[in-house]
């Protein structure tokens, strides 16, 4: 049973989804005096199960684009004026999605988020909107926000079939602690005719490290490798620019995220 205490008509905002977008939206509405309820279908609000970089990062001088086996195509020096105005070294300050999401969640008052509550649809009323849940419960709100992903039932009901299509790209996204001997001052984007393998320096809890990723061609329902580390080792065998070293420095159980890339037609 969802409490309707502090649930004032004209101020009621229901948010489907419990990710960073939903939580930050809820905080913005609370700051402006609205009553907010956030509904997450998972048992708890948390970042995706593996850590992954939340912001592209760099700590130093430049980004380098290389073609395998190591020929440099271009070097892109960082803009010193950007560094001066931002007050940080490099273009961006990087954090992990899980880290920044924890900080956002810490700002949320108790009683706002409701886990294990899957929003399945809504009915428009004359004076609001009736929110419908998988377990049969209903709640009346003034505003319903669908922040529940690219397959959002709220978005589907409002705008129809999204027309998602697979892009033919599989991304392996990972991060690791600092590895001695790899320059802290630049990032590398490298590729051959089939794969891309890249890395950038980053900070995690104030400590230097690296985010790295591998992009491979794929197709929908392409079988998953039994051993991702062995799979990526085969792709990166003989690769230049320190890339193979990241395999041994990375915990594949907690610091690697596989991302199947989907897109949708322009609205």
């Amino acid at each position: 049973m969802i409490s309707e205490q502090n649930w004032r008509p004209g101020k009621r905002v229901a948010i489907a989804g419990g990710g960073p977008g939903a939580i930050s939206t809820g905080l913005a509405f609370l700051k402006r005096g609205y009553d907010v309820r956030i509904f997450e279908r998972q048992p708890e609000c948390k970042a995706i199960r593996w850590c992954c970089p939340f912001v592209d990062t760099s700590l130093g001088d430049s980004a380098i684009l290389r073609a395998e086996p190591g020929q440099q195509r271009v070097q892109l020096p960082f803009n010193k004026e950007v560094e001066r105005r931002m007050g940080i070294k490099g273009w961006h300050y990087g954090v992990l999605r899980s880290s920044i999401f924890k900080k956002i969640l810490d700002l949320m008052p108790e009683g706002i988020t409701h886990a294990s509550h899957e929003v399945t649809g809504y009915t428009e009323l004359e004076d609001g909107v009736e929110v419908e849940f998988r377990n049969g419960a209903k709640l009346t709100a003034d505003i319903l926000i669908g922040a529940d992903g690219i397959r959002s039932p709220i978005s589907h009901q409002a705008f129809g079939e999204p027309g998602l299509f697979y892009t033919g790209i599989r991304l392996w996204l990972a991060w690791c602690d600092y590895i001695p001997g790899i320059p802290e001052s630049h990032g590398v984007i490298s590729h051959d005719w089939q794969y891309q393998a890249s890395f950038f320096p980053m900070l995690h809890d104030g400590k230097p490290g690296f985010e790295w990723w591998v992009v491979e061609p794929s197709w929908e329902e392409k079988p998953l490798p039994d051993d991702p580390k062995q799979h990526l080792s085969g792709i990166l065998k003989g690769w230049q620019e320190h890339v193979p070293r990241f395999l041994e420095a990375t915990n594949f159980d907690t610091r690697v995220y596989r991302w199947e890339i989907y897109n949708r037609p322009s609205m």
Side-chain angles (χ1 to χ4, degrees):
M1 184 70 179
I2 302 167
S3 171
E4 295 200 11
Q5 185 178 3
N6 297 326
W7 196 235
R8 300 166 293 170
K11 294 286 188 178
R12 303 167 297 186
V13 178
I15 302 176
I23 299 299
S24 57
T25 300
L27 289 170
F29 271 101
L30 287 170
K31 187 176 181 180
R32 287 159 179 79
Y34 287 84
D35 299 336
V36 176
R37 297 288 187 273
I38 296 174
F39 302 104
E40 166 59 40
R41 66 185 179 90
Q42 300 293 344
E44 62 179 313
C45 295
K46 64 178 181 179
I48 50 179
R49 62 179 180 268
W50 288 302
C51 297
C52 72
F54 183 76
V55 181
D56 282 342
T57 63
S58 183
L59 304 179
D61 304 326
S62 62
I64 297 173
L65 174 62
R66 295 190 186 280
E68 287 305 295
Q71 304 98 325
Q72 181 169 315
R73 290 192 175 205
V74 66
Q75 182 164 340
L76 306 173
F78 289 163
N79 189 318
K80 296 299 181 183
E81 182 64 14
V82 174
E83 293 182 344
R84 185 186 71 80
R85 294 193 181 193
M86 296 294 291
I88 57 176
K89 190 178 181 182
W91 281 348
H92 302 286
Y93 177 76
V95 295
L96 293 175
R97 179 187 178 100
S98 56
S99 299
I100 194 65
F101 191 38
K102 182 180 184 304
K103 293 181 181 294
I104 295 173
L105 281 172
D106 288 343
L107 299 174
M108 182 61 68
E110 289 197 15
I112 304 298
T113 58
H114 298 269
S116 299
H117 282 72
E118 181 178 357
V119 177
T120 56
Y122 63 89
T123 300
E124 294 190 60
L125 309 173
E126 288 187 6
D127 58 348
V129 56
E130 188 174 67
V131 185
E132 301 159 0
F133 297 89
R134 177 73 63 190
N135 62 7
K138 295 181 179 181
L139 178 76
T140 301
D142 299 294
I143 300 173
L144 172 61
I145 298 172
D148 45 349
I150 62 172
R151 293 177 173 82
S152 163
I154 306 304
S155 177
H156 187 278
Q157 183 173 339
F159 304 110
E161 176 61 44
L164 298 175
F165 60 92
Y166 191 64
T167 62
I169 295 174
R170 175 176 288 172
L171 170 64
W172 299 89
L173 193 57
W175 70 280
C176 64
D177 296 328
Y178 175 68
I179 303 174
I182 299 181
E184 299 181 34
S185 61
H186 69 268
V188 171
I189 300 173
S190 60
H191 69 92
D192 62 12
W193 69 275
Q194 192 174 17
Y195 303 102
Q196 184 199 117
S198 309
F199 67 90
F200 269 74
M202 62 171 289
L203 292 174
H204 176 50
D205 292 339
K207 299 177 182 179
F210 293 96
E211 61 167 325
W212 62 274
W213 63 94
V214 173
V215 180
E216 65 172 313
S218 186
W219 60 89
E220 205 160 16
E221 307 302 332
K222 180 180 180 179
L224 296 176
D226 294 330
D227 186 337
K229 184 175 181 179
Q230 184 180 43
H231 173 70
L232 293 179
S233 295
I235 292 174
L236 299 178
K237 185 177 181 180
W239 207 273
Q240 302 293 316
E241 290 296 350
H242 310 290
V243 173
R245 297 181 63 189
F246 292 109
L247 296 167
E248 294 304 322
T250 302
N251 185 325
F252 270 68
D253 292 328
T254 60
R255 296 184 176 184
V256 178
Y257 175 67
R258 175 184 53 82
W259 188 12
E260 306 290 341
I261 310 296
Y262 282 82
N263 205 342
R264 55 186 167 193
S266 298
M267 296 183 68

